[in-house]
Amino acid sequence: MNARRRTVLAAGAAGAAALATGCGSSDGDGGDDASPTPSAPGDATGRAELARTGDIPVGGGTIFKEQKIVVTQPTEGDFKAFSAICTHASCLVSTVSDGTINCPCHGSKFSITDAAVEAGPATRPLPAEEISVSGGAIRLG
């Protein structure tokens, strides 16, 4: 391979690595928007573990971007799951803080208890998602 082609390929690989690194964000606002890696392959029904109950803060929640789900724990031991797609303009919600699930696009806020609209422009709540909680594991379905 000639030197010029190696240089172009190396520069392309470096650019791709920089792009992949730059796609992540941490806005430092304290909202938990990480997607914990499931720690178990699945249960007897084949459903993969989404999170451990200890991963979801009491009075807050965690957004699972890949699954487009937000799991909240309004009070200790009470777990709820909702779509992470805002009902206003279909943006992915970005944070859970101060008792609300927050959309970055236009400022809509939804209650962590029932996903009711707390602040518009959204007019419809986030749809509920089915989860099961057993033995400290939270699974979809």
Side-chain angles (χ1 to χ4, degrees):
M1 183 181 315
N2 69 35
R4 182 174 178 176
R5 184 171 178 159
R6 275 195 301 268
T7 301
V8 170
L9 290 174
L19 180 62
T21 301
C23 286
S25 70
S26 177
D27 56 8
D29 68 355
D32 191 356
D33 62 352
S35 294
T37 303
S39 58
D43 64 2
T45 65
R47 294 179 299 197
E49 183 176 302
L50 185 62
R52 302 294 298 169
T53 55
D55 295 339
I56 312 300
V58 176
T62 300
I63 298 165
F64 298 90
K65 292 179 182 180
E66 186 175 313
Q67 295 85 356
K68 296 180 174 65
I69 299 286
V70 58
V71 177
T72 65
Q73 187 178 188
T75 58
E76 189 164 350
D78 181 26
F79 296 92
K80 310 281 184 172
F82 309 101
S83 169
I85 305 297
C86 181
T87 56
H88 171 247
S90 299
C91 296
L92 190 65
V93 298
S94 63
T95 61
V96 180
S97 61
D98 300 322
T100 60
I101 302 162
N102 310 302
C103 181
C105 292
H106 301 104
S108 291
K109 295 180 181 288
F110 304 89
S111 168
I112 64 170
T113 303
D114 60 4
V117 176
E118 298 271 325
T123 58
R124 294 175 289 125
L126 297 173
E129 296 286 343
E130 190 175 328
I131 55 171
S132 62
V133 179
S134 177
I138 300 172
R139 292 182 166 78
L140 287 176

